[in-house]
Amino acid sequence: MTALLSAMAYVLAFVEFPVPLSPSFARMDLSDFPALIGAFAFGPLSGLLIELVKNTLQLMTTSTGGIGEIANFLMGASYVVAAGAIYKRHKTKKTAWIACVTASFVMGIAAALANYFILLPLFEAFMPLDQLIASFGTFLPFIHTKLDIVLFNAFPFNLLKGLVIGGVTMLMYKRLAPILKGR
C-alpha cells in the first residue's frame, strides 16, 4: 500500500495550481494527500516513506536542480510525520482534526526555517536574492527581505497547504481506510 500511495503521490505532484499573491514558480499540489492517508492508516513511517519515494521519483523530471524536491520532502515529511504521530496515539475523528491542524502549523514552521536557512540560499545559485525578493514583492509590495518572504509567503503558503490537504483527507479517509487495510 505504501508503494501504491507513493505512486499516487507522484502523479498528483504533476497536478499543480497557482497560489494567489505568489510568483508563478510557487504552486500548490495535493501530492501530500496520499502520504497523509498512509500516515493515518499505517503510521508516520509510512507517510515519511511515501514522501521520500515521491520526491526521489520527482528528481527524474526536476526543473529546480533538486531544490524543489528537497523543499517538498522537508515540508511534506514534517507534515505527515507530525500528523501521523498525533493520530497514532488516539485514532478518533477529533484527534485526526487536531493532527491535521497541528501538523499544518508544524509544516509552516518547518517551511519558514528551511526556506530561511537552506532553500533560499540554494536558490541564489539560480537567481540573485534581490531578484527573488523582487519577484515576491511584485505580488506583496511589503516584501523587502528574505525574512519577509519567509514570514509573509513561505509560512502562510505551507500552513494553507496543510489545512487544504488535511480537509481533503478528513473528507476521504474513513471511506478509504477499509480499502487500504483490506477489509
Side-chain angles (χ1 to χ4, degrees):
M1 279 301 156
T2 298
L4 178 64
L5 290 168
S6 297
M8 291 171 60
Y10 174 69
V11 170
L12 282 174
F14 290 101
V15 182
E16 299 178 319
F17 45 96
V19 177
L21 303 176
S22 293
S24 61
F25 58 82
R27 302 180 61 80
M28 187 181 294
D29 63 60
L30 297 178
S31 66
D32 295 326
F33 167 68
L36 184 56
I37 292 290
F40 276 6
F42 307 114
L45 182 58
S46 180
L48 180 66
L49 289 172
I50 293 165
E51 288 290 340
L52 181 62
V53 170
K54 171 191 75 173
N55 284 290
T56 301
L57 291 171
Q58 283 289 121
L59 285 172
M60 294 185 298
T61 59
T62 188
S63 62
T64 66
I67 298 169
E69 290 71 29
I70 292 169
N72 191 280
F73 176 74
L74 291 173
M75 275 45 109
S78 69
Y79 180 68
V80 300
V81 169
I86 293 167
Y87 184 70
K88 184 178 181 179
R89 295 182 191 268
H90 191 65
K91 295 184 176 189
T92 66
K93 189 173 188 173
K94 180 180 178 183
T95 304
W97 278 110
I98 291 168
C100 290
V101 171
T102 303
S104 296
F105 279 95
V106 168
M107 183 164 65
I109 292 166
L113 294 171
N115 271 282
Y116 193 83
F117 293 109
I118 301 168
L119 302 171
L120 290 173
L122 286 174
F123 267 117
E124 285 187 83
F126 297 99
M127 179 186 290
L129 186 59
D130 49 340
Q131 275 186 307
L132 190 60
I133 291 168
S135 69
F136 282 94
T138 303
F139 297 94
L140 298 169
F142 49 86
I143 291 183
H144 302 291
T145 67
K146 180 167 74 167
L147 183 60
D148 291 342
I149 292 173
V150 168
L151 294 176
F152 301 118
N153 189 278
F155 177 80
F157 170 85
N158 283 279
L159 176 65
L160 174 64
K161 181 178 180 179
L163 293 172
V164 167
I165 290 168
V168 171
T169 300
M170 293 304 297
L171 292 172
M172 303 288 291
Y173 181 68
K174 283 297 179 190
R175 292 181 209 134
L176 294 174
I179 297 165
L180 293 170
K181 295 182 178 188
R183 293 185 209 149

